Amino acid sequence: DVKVTQSSRYLVKRTGEKVFLECVQDMDHENMFWYRQDPGLGLRLIYFSYDVKMKEKGDIPEGYSVSREKKERFSLILESASTNQTSMYLCASGTGYEQYFGPGTRLTVT
Amino acid sequence: GQQVMQIPQYQHVQEGEDFTTYCNSSTTLSNIQWYKQRPGGHPVFLIQLVKSGEVKKQKRLTFQFGEAKKNSSLHITATQTTDVGTYFCAGRKDTGRRALTFGSGTRLQVQP
């Protein structure tokens, strides 16, 4: 069974803090993705990576950066958290066919 | 950029009734996928459609890809309470593109 894990289920941070969201997959997938999910907006792609140290911007990259130093790990970084980044963050991995999602991190920025 | 619209946003049905959600893309898609997210859960892959006019069935679920490869539908026959959740379509514009564009989802509520 493919397993995608995320470092936290719930996170509360203050405005201006630097926030790290970690994602690990155990299936040796090339591709990893970060989405945010907001009511009525579906899943919006923030960044994705198709290889170690490679990254591509998704549809809403502003205010975010990513890091992929190892194949199994993909980190999402909020350099200076803002209240409009309060959301559910979902990580996914895949080979180019289906995507496997992690359980999500609900981030609240106060 | 590519947009994928999904309707309705929400549907409430009585158990046993049928349900359909529709997905429309602003551009031609190479393939389309469907995912289901149970309340409190994460999206889980259901199926991928690739060919123009393709129809696939999974028990009570019927998936269709339009002839122009710009729209798709998911139809559930005789809904059950286990069908509750949000259904997302996700389109891939180019064959080589790794990223998907997700629709906004249709939340299905089934009244027992």
Side-chain angles (χ1 to χ4, degrees):
Chain A
D1 253 6
V2 174
K3 201 166 187 181
V4 180
T5 57
Q6 295 184 230
S7 48
S8 307
R9 287 303 302 270
Y10 300 94
L11 208 53
V12 180
K13 295 291 181 181
R14 293 189 183 273
T15 302
E17 277 194 85
K18 191 169 186 174
V19 182
F20 292 87
L21 302 182
E22 303 281 338
C23 176
V24 178
Q25 52 99 357
D26 67 355
M27 282 302 291
D28 203 36
H29 287 159
E30 297 170 347
N31 305 316
M32 296 188 74
F33 309 85
W34 274 107
Y35 296 90
R36 62 176 284 177
Q37 182 174 18
D38 301 288
L41 296 177
L43 279 72
R44 293 181 292 166
L45 182 65
I46 304 171
Y47 266 98
F48 67 100
S49 169
Y50 51 88
D51 202 351
V52 174
K53 296 192 186 295
M54 304 301 284
K55 61 185 179 186
E56 279 197 30
K57 292 180 180 179
D59 299 317
I60 52 164
E62 296 79 18
Y64 304 93
S65 62
V66 289
S67 172
R68 194 163 180 205
E69 296 296 318
K70 293 185 177 181
K71 192 173 187 179
E72 68 270 19
R73 190 179 297 270
F74 191 35
S75 303
L76 179 69
I77 304 152
L78 287 67
E79 294 290 340
S80 177
S82 63
T83 54
N84 62 14
Q85 292 178 309
T86 290
S87 186
M88 171 68 82
Y89 289 88
L90 288 162
C91 174
S93 74
T95 58
Y97 188 67
E98 67 190 274
Q99 292 185 12
Y100 298 86
F101 284 83
T105 296
R106 185 165 293 282
L107 172 67
T108 302
V109 183
T110 61
Chain B
Q2 179 187 358
Q3 289 192 338
V4 177
M5 310 300 291
Q6 200 172 343
I7 56 168
Q9 189 170 353
Y10 172 76
Q11 184 131 27
H12 188 145
V13 301
Q14 293 288 321
E15 190 171 21
E17 290 182 338
D18 291 357
F19 159 77
T20 305
T21 172
Y22 300 90
C23 186
N24 288 287
S25 169
S26 57
T27 58
T28 302
L29 301 170
S30 65
N31 56 64
I32 194 158
Q33 298 182 355
W34 286 89
Y35 290 77
K36 176 183 178 181
Q37 184 176 25
R38 294 182 187 275
H42 56 273
V44 174
F45 174 82
L46 294 176
I47 207 159
Q48 175 169 285
L49 305 170
V50 178
K51 299 176 185 175
S52 168
E54 187 170 14
V55 178
K56 286 188 176 180
K57 293 193 175 187
Q58 288 180 349
K59 297 182 180 177
R60 294 177 294 104
L61 277 61
T62 302
F63 303 85
Q64 192 162 1
F65 201 7
E67 294 290 341
K69 300 184 76 174
K70 293 179 76 172
N71 56 68
S72 182
S73 64
L74 158 59
H75 179 83
I76 302 178
T77 303
T79 55
Q80 299 174 359
T81 54
T82 53
D83 295 324
V84 164
T86 301
Y87 293 84
F88 292 98
C89 63
R92 186 172 277 123
K93 184 180 175 184
D94 301 310
T95 307
R97 189 169 187 263
R98 293 168 175 85
L100 294 166
T101 300
F102 279 79
S104 52
T106 296
R107 186 159 70 93
L108 172 65
Q109 186 65 35
V110 180
Q111 184 77 33

